Amino acid sequence: MGKMMNDHYILPQNFYPMLKLRDYLHLGIIRHYRKGESIVFLGETIDSIILVLSGKLGISFMHENGKQKFMYHADPYTFIDEALGIFTSSYVHVVSEEDSSVCFFEKFQFLMILHENKELLLEYITCFSSKRCYFMHEASEAVLYKPSVRILRFFYLLCNTQGKLVDNVYEIDVKISQRAISEITGVHFITVNKILRYLKKENILNKTRNKIIIYDLPQLKALIEDWMNH
């Protein structure tokens, strides 16, 4: 079945894809959404299994006090289901962040598919577990490290899992905005901006629009240790 993607838990995506579900799309209902369209509105109940076929969905929770928290992205052949509804004090908002196609499966249909195809059942469990790994990592980072260190660790761990050595520097081919880094790490956007400017000034790291370049990985690691002790 392939390797579970637990080495990619730094980003709220890349969850294990359910590729075998492609053989059952005729049992569901396929719909297409433009960028920015809502698939699940605030307060709406999720009563189906929503499989992403193309594009990308963004999932956020709106708390009863009005604050919204981005949770994760659903990429092709990962799913959204009613498990989100366990957060009774929150409202779920699912929006299409790109032109996207999704397939809706009724719960009874999905259970029949899993009963019929045990390999697909294993894919479902693995996909769910890969999300769990991400949220466990996110929770531990928030508890163990102060905001500035979380940002440095984000870049360091991302380099360790996805960085490629090119001409004596590490390149991470990830298109990610400062706003997204703020949402992932739970650190204020202004703080993210200040730290990125500092890292660029010290010639340790530079974030461009399409990639992150780390010029001095040992110095980045040393900076993490130094900031942890102050």
Side-chain angles (χ1 to χ4, degrees):
M1 187 178 68
K3 179 182 179 183
M4 178 176 170
M5 302 179 72
N6 57 1
D7 59 340
H8 288 233
Y9 56 73
I10 310 305
L11 295 174
Q13 56 195 59
N14 296 325
F15 302 119
Y16 195 92
M18 298 178 60
L19 299 178
K20 295 185 183 302
L21 201 50
R22 288 179 294 191
D23 297 334
Y24 298 90
L25 297 182
H26 62 282
L27 299 177
I29 298 174
I30 297 176
R31 293 176 182 166
H32 307 283
Y33 295 88
R34 294 288 188 183
K35 180 180 179 180
E37 283 191 272
S38 291
I39 296 172
V40 178
F41 291 88
L42 289 172
E44 184 179 358
T45 301
I46 300 177
D47 56 3
S48 302
I49 307 296
I50 305 173
L51 179 73
V52 183
L53 302 180
S54 65
K56 179 166 64 177
L57 310 186
I59 295 86
S60 301
F61 287 161
M62 178 72 78
H63 197 269
E64 58 188 4
N65 63 9
K67 292 184 178 180
Q68 186 163 332
K69 173 70 169 71
F70 168 78
M71 299 305 293
Y72 68 93
H73 286 123
D75 287 334
Y77 292 96
T78 58
F79 65 91
I80 303 166
D81 67 0
E82 63 180 357
L84 292 172
I86 65 175
F87 298 91
T88 55
S89 61
S90 302
Y91 292 103
V92 179
H93 186 208
V94 180
V95 64
S96 180
E97 297 198 354
E98 303 173 357
D99 289 351
S100 304
S101 297
V102 303
C103 185
F104 292 83
F105 291 96
E106 296 295 332
K107 285 184 288 185
F108 78 91
Q109 290 177 321
F110 195 70
L111 289 173
M112 287 177 59
I113 294 170
L114 296 182
H115 180 74
E116 174 184 315
N117 191 325
K118 294 301 186 290
E119 289 187 3
L120 183 55
L121 174 60
L122 186 56
E123 279 192 350
Y124 176 81
I125 294 171
T126 307
C127 184
F128 195 87
S129 296
S130 66
K131 291 180 184 178
R132 183 196 63 181
C133 288
Y134 168 74
F135 286 112
M136 287 177 66
H137 167 76
E138 185 183 56
S140 64
E141 289 287 308
V143 170
L144 297 175
Y145 302 104
K146 58 186 179 182
S148 57
V149 174
R150 292 206 298 272
I151 297 172
L152 297 182
R153 280 179 53 81
F154 172 78
F155 292 124
Y156 184 78
L157 295 174
L158 193 60
C159 183
N160 281 342
T161 57
Q162 300 187 38
K164 298 177 181 178
L165 192 59
V166 179
D167 296 330
N168 296 318
V169 300
Y170 286 95
E171 293 187 358
I172 308 167
D173 292 322
V174 172
K175 185 177 181 180
I176 187 169
S177 66
Q178 292 188 29
R179 181 68 63 186
I181 295 171
S182 171
E183 291 174 338
I184 292 168
T185 60
V187 179
H188 197 281
F189 173 81
I190 294 175
T191 303
V192 174
N193 181 266
K194 287 181 178 178
I195 291 177
L196 280 171
R197 284 191 281 113
Y198 173 81
L199 294 173
K200 183 178 181 179
K201 178 184 176 182
E202 296 297 319
N203 202 37
I204 297 174
L205 178 151
N206 184 37
K207 191 193 82 64
T208 67
R209 181 178 181 182
N210 296 316
K211 66 177 59 179
I212 298 167
I213 304 171
I214 298 180
Y215 302 106
D216 195 336
L217 187 61
Q219 184 59 31
L220 178 61
K221 183 178 180 180
L223 195 61
I224 292 172
E225 295 173 353
D226 182 49
W227 287 11
M228 283 178 62
N229 297 323
H230 292 84

